[in-house]
Structure formats: C-alpha cells, structure tokens
Amino acid sequence: MVDLSVDFAGIKSPNPFWLASAPPANSGEQIMRAFDAGWGGAVWKTLGDPIINVTSRFGGIDYRGSKVIGFNNIELITDRPIDVNLKEIYEVKKRYPKHAVIASLMVETRQEWKDLIKKCIDAGADGLELNFGCPHGMCERGMGSAVGAEPKACEEITSWAVEYSSIPVIVKLTPNITDVNDPAEAAVRGGAHAVSLINTIKSIIGVDLVNAVPLPAVQGASTNGGYCGPAVRPIALHMVGQLGRNPAVNVPISGIGGVETWRDALEFIFLGASTVQVCTAVMHYGYRIVEDLIEGTENFMKEHGYETIDQMVGRAVPNYSEWGNLDLNYELIAKIDADKCIGCQLCHTACWDGAHQCIHLSDETRVPIIDEAECVGCNLCQIVCPVEGCISMVHVENGKPRVSWNEYQERLAKGEKIEVGKHTSQTAF
Amino acid sequence: MTVWDVPEDRLEAKLPDKKPRLNEAQALAEANRCLYCFDAPCIKACPTGIDIPTFIRKIATGNLAGSARVILDSNILGLSCARVCPTEVLCEGDCVYNELDSPPILIGKLQRIATEDAYDRGLQFFERGAPTGKRIAIIGGGPAGLACAHELARCGHESVIFEARDMPGGLNSTGVAPYKLQLPDAIREVNYILEIGGIELRTGVSVGTDISFEELEDQFDAVFVGVGLGPDTALDLPGRGLSGIVGAVEWIEQMKTRKGFALGDVDRVVVLGGGNTAIDVVREACGLGVTAVTMVYRRDEAAMSGYEHEWNHAKKEGARAEWFAQPVGYAGEHGRVTGVRCVRTRAAGGRHLQVVPDSEFVIPADRVVLAVGQSKLETLLSDVAGLTFAHGRLVADTANGQCSNPKYFAGGDVMNGAKEVVNAAAEGKVAARGIDAWLQGGA
Ligand SMILES: Cc1cc2nc3c(=O)[nH]c(=O)nc-3n(C[C@H](O)[C@H](O)[C@H](O)COP(=O)(O)OP(=O)(O)OC[C@H]3O[C@@H](n4cnc5c(N)ncnc54)[C@H](O)[C@@H]3O)c2cc1C
Ligand SMILES: Cc1cc2nc3c(=O)[nH]c(=O)nc-3n(C[C@H](O)[C@H](O)[C@H](O)COP(=O)(O)O)c2cc1C
Ligand code: SF4
Ligand code: SF4
Ligand code: SF4
C-alpha cells in the first residue's frame, strides 16, 4: 500500500498536491470543489489590502501548435475584502478539516502583519505563506518580490510573522534574484518553518507588432508581468534543487513552477520538495488534473517500491553535483538503429551545423552514418531525432579510469600524468 | 484583366470539392507536424522541386506570403497543382512520415492554403526581366505553355501564346476532375500568370490551320510546342456509329465548360479503359448521380494503369468493374447504344491475354464512354522540318527542352506522352530556361 499523505512542517495533508496561491484558489467555493476533485491542500489567493486589477491581465505563449507552454500575468493579490476571505477560510476548514488550508499574506507594516496573522489563525488556517514573490505591481509598492529580493527585509519580516504566529510559516521565494540560497537562508534565519518556490519570473510575454505595444495590452500600454507554466519548470527545478542540497536550508520545501503531470511533481519531490503547488495547469485544464497526479504517483511508487512520499523526498539530491565532480572519462557515443530511421536527416544537419560534424550522409541510403571516433556523445542528434528509440547513446568501455576535473587538478598539481577525455580531431583543414 | 468569361450553369458545378481547403488552425497544426527534413525526400518527389519544408515552415511561422513565394518560384502553377497533383504518388508519397507508419504531411493542402491566400490578397512575387527584344511563339495555352511563358517573362523575353480553343488553360480547364479543380479556378490561375506582363494570349488560333509553322518561324526567335495530346482514340468496333458513344476527354470537356450541358436521361454508364481518365469519368458519373457505373478493363485490378487510391475512392462511391472483359462491339436499338458486347479474357503469361472461347456477353448501357487514350499530335507537326518523334512523342532534350530542330522546344504531354500537370509545368519552365540560354548563346 502506498500512502500519499504528508506532514509539511506540521501541516497535515492527504496528499502533496496543493493549489498555488492564484486564481484557482481565489474563493472558498472554488477550493471546496478542488478538494472534492482530490487536491490535498490550497494556498489561498494572497490576502492583503484589496487591490484593483486591470484588463486584460494574462498572456500565453503557444509553441508549434501547443497552447500555453508559458503563461504570464499582471494580476495583483486578492481583490476581495479580507473579511469575506476569512469567513470562507473558516467555512472551508469546518467542512474539510483534513485538508490543508494555507493563508497567503502580503501587507506592509509590522502592525498590519500582526493583525492579519491573528485573523487568519482565528479563521482556522493551517499555516501561513508569506508572499515575498509577486514580481509586478506589488513590488513597486515595496512588497512582494521587493522583499524577496532583499535578504535583510526577508529575514526581518519573516521574524515578525514567526513571532506573531502560532501556526507554521512558509516563505514563498521569488526567482528574480541571482542566487536563491540568499533569500532562503535569510528566511530560515528569520525562523521560517518552510519555504516555497518559485513565484513567477519577471517577463514580457510578447509584443503586439502592429500597435507596438507589449502584451498583455491595457488600453495601448502594458507592464512587465510574471512568467509561469511548463516553460519555467527547469528554472524552478534548479532552484528547488539548490535549496534541496543546501544544509543551511534545513526546512521543508514546497516546489512550484510548471507542474502539470505526476512526473513533473515527482521531479520536484526528488530534488527536495515535500509538497508541490500548481497554478497554470489548473488554469488551463481545471481541477480534474489532480486525479492523474494522484494515480500516476501511486503507480510509480508501487512500481518502484516506495511506500511514502517522504521516502522519495530528495532522492536525486545526492546525485545533483558540481560540474567539477563529473567523470571526464565516461564516454558515450550515438548509434542509429537503421531499421527505425525514417531518413529525415535532421541528425545530420544538427550535428553538422550545431555540434561536431560527425554525422555523414550516405550515397546509398537516407540513413546517416555516425563517425564514432569523432562523436563527442553530446546527445544533440538524439534530441532532434523524431523517432522514439532510433538514436541511442551507448556507453563505450574505453578502459580509462574515472577522473573528475577536481581530481585531475589535484593530481596534476602532484605532478601525475593522466589521460582525460576523448581525443577527436580539432580541425577539419 | 479577364481573359475569358466562364460560362455559368456548367454541369461540373454539381460536383463537390473532395479535398476542401484547410482552415487556418488545421493548416497551422499540420504545418507544425512537418519535421523540416534536411535534403527532404518530398522535394525530390515533386517534379518542379518545390522547397517543401521551407514553404511549410513559413506557414508555421505565420509568413503565408513568403510561403506562396517559395511555391510559385519553383512552380507558377502551384495553385492548380496543389489541387490536381496525385500527391499520393508524388511529394506525399515520399514524405518520411510514411516510414513511421503515420499519415504523411498534407503537402498539397498546405500548398493550396498558401497559394490561395496570395491570390486572394492579389500578391504578385515576380517581375519581368529587363527586355531582351526577343519574341517566342508558344503553341498551346495549357500548363506547359503557361509555365514556359511565365519563365520567359522573368527572363525578359516576350511571348505570344497561340491557343486553338477559345479558352486557355489546357486540360486544367477542360480535363481535370471537377472535384479537384473547376474551370473558374483554372482561369483564375491563367489570369494570375499573365499578370506578370509580356505575354500575349491569342485564343481561337490553331497553329497549322490559322497560322503556319513557317510564319511562326519567321516572326519569332524560337518556338515552344506545348500542344498536349489530340482527341480521344476511338475503338474500331461494329456499332461504333450508334449515338450515345462518346470519347472521355470530349465528354469531360463538355461537362466542365459548356453552358447548360446536361447528362441527359442516363442510368447506366459503361466506361471502357483502366487508366486515370477512365476512373475520373467513373467518379464523375457516380458524383452526378448515375445509378449504375461500370468500368470495363481487359486485365485485372492490379494491372490497371489508373492510381490505386483513385480506384479505391471510386469503389466507395459506388462504381463497379468488369475485369478481364474485352469489348468486341456495341449493341444498339433505333440507332442508340444499349450495351457493350464483350468477351472474357484470361492471363496467358506475362502481359499476354487470351480470349476465352464462347464467352461473349453484353453489359447494358445507355451511355458508353471511351477512355482508351488520346491520339498523338505527330501529324500536326509533320510539316516542320527536322523534328523527331518516338512512339508519337515529340523528342526533346530533357535538360533544356530543345528539339532536334534547334529553334523548337517542347514540354508537357506532347513530349512526355501524358503525365501530370506538374510535369508539364516543370518541363515548360525547363524549356524557357533552355530557350533563354540558347538565345543568349546567339546561335
Ligand atoms: C481527363 C484527364 C484528367 C486529368 N487529370 C489530371 C489530374 O487530376 N492531375 C494532373 O496532374 N494531371 C491530370 N491530367 C493530365 C494533365 O491534364 C496533363 O498532363 C497536362 O494538362 C498537360 O499539359 P500540356 O500543357 O502539355 O497540355 P494540355 O493541357 O493538353 O494543353 C495543350 C493546349 O494546346 C492547345 N493546342 C493543341 N493543338 C494546338 C494547335 N495546333 N494550336 C494551338 N493550340 C493548340 C490545346 O487546345 C490545349 O489547350 C489529366 C488528363 C486528362 C486527359
Ligand atoms: C494569474 C496568476 C496570479 C497569481 N497570483 C499569485 C498570488 O496572488 N500570490 C502568489 O503567491 N503567487 C501568485 N501567482 C504565482 C503562482 O502561485 C505560482 O507561484 C506560479 O504561477 C508558478 O506556478 P505554475 O507554473 O504552476 O503556474 C500567480 C500566478 C498567476 C498565473
Ligand atoms: S534524426 Fe533519426 S530518423 Fe532522422 S535521419 Fe537521423 S537517425 Fe534517422
Ligand atoms: S506541385 Fe504537386 S507534387 Fe509538387 S509539392 Fe505541390 S502538390 Fe506536391
Ligand atoms: S518529408 Fe514530410 S516531414 Fe519531411 S520535410 Fe517533407 S513534408 Fe516535411
């Protein structure tokens, strides 16, 4: 039997799949429907002084016929009165006591933080998420990512919240910084019980070329917004992985950014997250996607012998290393399965113009020929080949012992002579 | 400028477009499916060598005008070819997706949307070359002649197209199946091609009758022969004088172009032949609501020269066939045909056939359509000195279209013996380049 339930910094949830603080978690009615669909928790749309939104506010990127590979918004925090939201938090918690309800907050002064935190605890919230991430509008008013990008402010406001809170405090981090470790460590110093990341990335989603206005346009003008959706996932994974392996960030991590499938969710978990949050995929397809998030995760766990989410948290962290520790003598080469090849020759043009000029055309067939002595094993041909399993990257036993760059430097310093890497011809002339 | 007014009330208008235009979303999805192959095999399978991956990618990037430019640069008949090409055996037949057991890219349909968009927006991409003062006579206003004239204009030469019919376009106007292309679109293409300028179209002028070859030789620097093929071949069988027996190409021409032409009181159509023209007539008759349509062929299904995919469509549309049946005469009453008398044949090794003794039978018919080939126009050209023929085809160098009389160039059905519109377009263009090179060589 597999058990999907999690205890995230003391917040209990039937599964690790939460709605991120965003339009899908805007109201009690929505969140209850989401719980009915299977979501384990929800981070309420950020509470604060109600704001006024503009129209339009979203933009999407379609790529080669795929809709919304990236998504951008210039929406601010909740536009509903705080009291209405608090009443609904109370109502949801009463009806769904086993689900996680987290109040996302963003206010300015110490007193405001104190008052709002008290109200949320009174309403029955299971935890707080401090929104130090919103990268548009709110940051111009000194909140959101203006706090997240400034470790000192991040630490200070976190410490206020922790002081006033009797429930767990999660700090939601912005990716709009140079090194995510800095604000994360600041939050931990401030006493945060957990961190969540990423919020959206500053972006301009496009430009209306006819009217010369960036998008999304608000009566002939626009502003930078926040980017999210599938396109940001690799960036989010990297940032989660950074914190996952940082011993100074010894608090649970909630992974966010481009999660759409169970596989995406597990990638975050393997890099150190113990819950994941989803926004764009729900905005695109609705709450129903959680059914497959759950089933896919359960099937994977059964197949691979995991019983709890905890057993998977951080599983890939030990293998997330520095470049200098990678084996320079490990050798892969590409091989084409001629039976599967359809002769598109994309591998040839990719290798010829974009890699190492070692895939040649044949006079007799359309199946290209790989010059294995020259192949540097970069993967490019395999990446562009449209046929599943046609090009494989095959390990070559070259008899050379493992040596990393760091080891190589050390041994060189000791005067040792060792062979590293593969020697291919460096010039065509 | 309209070169010719299309009559209304044509019978062909009753037949629907069987490959309708994609909408923009479909085109985008399909274009994005193209792998953008390197040295793509589809290009080699197109007789005009259109850079298919490039034009498809331009559809995907939203550069529809650029897409049409790429197509028309290689093939000025890109609009009609998009619709009449047997893509199953040309470009699409060689798409790498076939190797993946997936449907090939719908190249023809994508070509259609790009070229139609350019036509709809009135975009012209090519200009006349700097005038050379040279004039070329073009005999035949079909695909070969039009392609030749356009390319000559791009090279700066003037040309005069002599077209025997009162309407231009050749078989694109008079022959191709209406569910692919109808007369108005064929004429629209002719207009578009002529818009480049420097091409004079003289319709209703039959060379050899209204003007002699010698006159052409005197008045022009070179002559391009793109006369296509002659009338339907008849079968010299007893009863051939009965009414109700028609040639396929002649009947199709009437259906496509004649004002008010009607099918008449016809329930049973028998089509003699096993080629693509036969299948076209069969499908057209089915489409026009004829109850019993039968194709009669002396060999079996596998041996017929018509395309398998076309015959498969015909079967679905209700056609049937008499295989191994050879017509030996017509049955008739009161001067009207009532059936085709046939004998059974059987295979006798290789391509040989044997007649089965005492096997005569009659297939009832109130219309018999002969689709056993078109005659060659060798005699028309027999006055011209120095031309050579092989199996009735005018011999020309495939590299430059030049005939054995160096002032003459040729392309299209008259030279290749009957291929497709796209071959005629390719050969007309090759000949234009050949003429240009020959004239520049000053010989
Ligand atoms: C029924 C039928 C259906 C076809 N369907 C298709 C199809 O679906 N797809 C496809 O790609 N191909 C199809 N083809 C083949 C295609 O139409 C021809 O290969 C193509 O039209 C050949 O072009 P051309 O210019 O050589 O000849 P044509 O199109 O025959 O044009 C020759 C022109 O020359 C004129 N001419 C002849 N003699 C003289 C003269 N003495 N003086 C002046 N003018 C003269 C004729 O009137 C005619 O207009 C079909 C052919 C037939 C018969
Ligand atoms: C329209 C929209 C509004 C958002 N509003 C908030 C918000 O109020 N508070 C917040 O912390 N994050 C907000 N976010 C960020 C999301 O919670 C999430 O961090 C981000 O979208 C990345 O996840 P995703 O790729 O699954 O969308 C918003 C995102 C979107 C698209
Ligand atoms: S990319 Fe793949 S399918 Fe295409 S030619 Fe190369 S090996 Fe063959
Ligand atoms: S002209 Fe015909 S063969 Fe060539 S690409 Fe277009 S549809 Fe295919
Ligand atoms: S072969 Fe098919 S996939 Fe490749 S370029 Fe041509 S149309 Fe596109």
Side-chain angles (χ1 to χ4, degrees), chain A residues 3 68 70 73 92 116 127 133 168 177 201 219 254 258 282 288 316 330 369:
Chain A
D3 176 9
V68 199
N73 82 90
V92 172
L116 187 54
I177 34 84
I201 303 171
Q219 210 214 21
S254 188
V282 172
R288 61 198 165 129
Y330 179 70
I369 299 157

Side-chain angles (χ1 to χ4, degrees), chain B residues 389-406:
Chain B
F389 296 87
H391 310 290
R393 298 176 203 167
L394 177 55
V395 175
D397 184 342
T398 48
N400 60 8
Q402 196 162 31
C403 299
S404 44
N405 173 338

Side-chain angles (χ1 to χ4, degrees), chain A residues 336-337 340-348 359 366-368 381 384-387 390-391:
Chain A
I336 295 175
D337 180 342
K340 289 191 177 150
C341 174
I342 60 172
C344 67
Q345 300 184 347
L346 286 170
C347 56
H348 160 77
I359 303 187
R366 287 198 57 92
V367 182
C381 55
V384 302
C385 177
V387 185
C390 177
I391 297 185

Side-chain angles (χ1 to χ4, degrees), chain A residues 399-415:
Chain A
K400 296 180 200 163
R402 189 203 130 87
V403 62
S404 71
W405 174 256
N406 292 342
E407 290 158 354
Y408 180 55
Q409 295 304 303
E410 277 169 31
R411 290 167 67 179
L412 271 186
K414 284 189 210 148

